[in-house]
Amino acid sequence: MPPNTTATTGDKPGKSGRKKGRKARLIVLVLVLAIIGGIAYGAYWSISTVRASFPQTKGSITLKGLSGPVTVKRDGYGIPQIYASTDEDLFMAQGYVQAQDRFYEMDVRRHMTSGRLSEMFGKGQVQNDEFLRTMGWDRVAKKEYDTKLSAATKKYLQAYSEGVNAYLAGKDGKDISLEYAALGFVNDYKPEQWTPVDSVSWLKAMAWDLRGNMQDEIDRALMTSRLSAQQIKDLYPDYPYSRNKAIVQEGQYDELTKTFQQSGSGSTSGSATSTGTSGSSTSSSTGSALTSQLAGLYNVLDDVPTAVGVNGQGIGSNSWVVRGDHTITGKPLLANDPHLSASLPSVWYQMGLHCTTVSSKCQYDVTGYTFAGMPGVIIGHNADIAWGMTNSGVDVTDLYLEKLSGDGYLYDGKVKSFTTREETIKVAGGTSKKIVVRQTADGMPLLSDRDDELVQVGKKATVNTAAPDRGDGYGIALRWTALDAGTTMDAVFAIDRAADWSEFRDGAAQFDVPSQNLIYADTKNNIGYTLPGKIPTRASGDDGSIPAPGWDSKFKWTGFIKQSELPYEYNPKRGYIVTANQAVVDKDKYPYTLTTDWGYGTRSQRITDLIESKIKDGGKISTDDMRQMQMDNSSEIAKLLVPKLLKINLDDKDVREAQKLLEGWDYTQDSDSAAAAYFNAVWRNILKLAFGNKLPKELRVKGQCLWVDKIDSTGPVDDDTKVRECGERDADQAQPDGGDRWFEVVRNLMNQPNSDWWKAPAGVGDRIKADNMNQLFERAMIDARWELTAKLGKDIDTWSWGRLHRLFLKNQTLGTDGPSIIQYVLNRGPWKLSGGEATVNATGWNAAGGYGVVWVPSMRMVVNLDDLDKSKWINLTGASGHAFSSHYTDQTGKWADGELLPWSFSDKAVDSSTSDTLVLKP
């Protein structure tokens, strides 16, 4: 256990056993600030600033607005458990305590959601603010608060805001966080009061990062400049339902399916359609002008700061629940580990919210993972039930091409007017900027107004005869469920106090965006799954996989799937439920298209296999078995490819030496494995040679330049003309990313060893030309050997996966864009990690860009429904957002090693683990 947080009674933290370690860290900070502000003043100011911003965790504080005393108990990791006598006091204290640890993070988030980053960080954020103002998240959140949320929810949000503002009262920026002190050198920014809408807006940011297939929609359209419809289909293969099982196998949808099948309807409104690029909007929207538009849109989207994910790419998660029939305890075990961007501090904040006596006056006794800036618990358990979440990936966004005409747009042969509003963007240290936001009559914002490249398309767009005149080009508008006012905030509180499956389902039904897979377990040995969310239905023939023609009303959304018709399962006979972003239901058994872009089920099937191996012949699963499953590092693509790679004859003894690493390898990607390092390098080079070098520049890594066939508005020019093109995407967003979609692509093409995909020209020096699959694999093995020689050295005995696959934790503002010396102060790492892409231990990396860790299991938990005090949890970083707190990254080392911490819940267990106690007095 790390040292306890120490404080003198009723005062700030004082002398402790950590004094020597803290002093060493302060010396670094003193030097930094001395450089910035002058040696003598800098040294004095830095020490006082760091101490001033640390939270008081002992003694007592008077908080105006409380109706009674509230107790805050923190364990040795600084994780708080709050005890109050009324709901309002509980959530007011939650706001106060989260602000103590994380207010700077909260403040940045609300400036992001409201499009006001420029007020904090200056002119470099103006373009992001323009885009975010166009989306209008805060406007939707305000409408939600004013018109949709229950009176009780509003009361909780108000109480939470009062708690945050009580913390802010009388404090300057430097008293709140080191980052504000650093900002003070470049502008005079001062934090404002917190509002309930600030909390609700955060749900929009979360929904944006978990929005579904919008990136795939853009990518497919961009591919049309170089690839045929069949080639694009090759790269987006059908989901392998027969091999990787869907989530719901015995669920409610059976009755709906009977109706669907009896009607003989595969073509009714919203009916399921096959994955691919066949939609009528494809032929009416291809060509260089569309490519230019979508590339410009991608650039805008890519610059928007991520809230919890990787701008919609590569986001996954694992959750599964096992009924008591198959567990050692005789009651359910539930595991969850959402895969999100690595951030510092972690997006999650661990906390317990306890009513001293649960009653109508005080209804909550819940613990788990919260978001700093928002009341309630998002994932966790109460005294009766536990729940987890993974991203469902359902398609809730569509891009529409709009035919602009004067100040309006074409719709069913008539010109309609945009609605407009003016926004003023204030800029720290600069001049304010005004923008005009245009929306269609359906409320769709015109995203193309935010980038010069998108305002007018070129004159060469290829369109069919049914499309309107292309003279003025096309704009791009967005239809997205989160731009409608919703009730997700109500759902959070309803789930937190739910006592059984029925109450849980009722609460989940209000969780409209983002649509999530929710798993459930209770102390009475029941398990379940439900898919909530506001999910659109589309006209026949439109599967939402590509941008649609906005000028044709046939492509409007036709409605939303009724909650009563969404899939769920309750106590399935198999005794367990697994969700890991795979298909929710078999497409032949469900009448609606949920998406064409599921994850391909690699992780889910591996988890299923691990569970089945444990329970066969009556075996039982323990809490630690669940933890070990979370840390499974097995590579499914290695199991497929390594037998092929070992059959290849290699002349070069150095390459042969590397090939031998794969002999006897168990496909486990441990951080110290040389075989894992070499295999992943081979996999990366297979993808690059077979696919990456054939993709359009808009999808390739920025700065990666190739001589490629010249193209015009009709596609590649067939005269052997070559042009030099350089990639345009950031490394962590480029394609092929190496995820399990690419596993499926390669699996299918291995049955076609002479496919054109396996052809590759000769490389530099003596790199061989490839005319078939085996030759390309040979070339990839050669290239991988010399790539790792350059990165890790010629001696393969020194190679390890962890030397390539490293995690750096970066402060999400000044730690990424601030002066290098400030980044040094705020950032941490590296950690050498096991795991990899599409493994259960999903420490994701982008194969097009390199081996560095891009997304991670952002937390891990295992809930024991037999004895909740025997549940376990861990966070990616720590409770604190203060860079020199002992709780800044005190969980990261254990997280990297796959350890879990005790998770106290009962009064007795919490008291036993308490290190610091603070009393908030009215």
Side-chain angles (χ1 to χ4, degrees), residues 543-556:
D543 62 9
S545 64
I546 50 179
W551 51 82
D552 189 341
S553 62
K554 291 198 299 289
F555 289 87
K556 283 182 60 176

Side-chain angles (χ1 to χ4, degrees), residues 780-795:
M781 295 175 78
I782 295 169
D783 288 356
R785 177 25 159 150
W786 299 117
E787 180 188 357
L788 294 198
T789 297
K791 291 180 183 296
L792 303 178
K794 188 173 182 179
D795 184 358

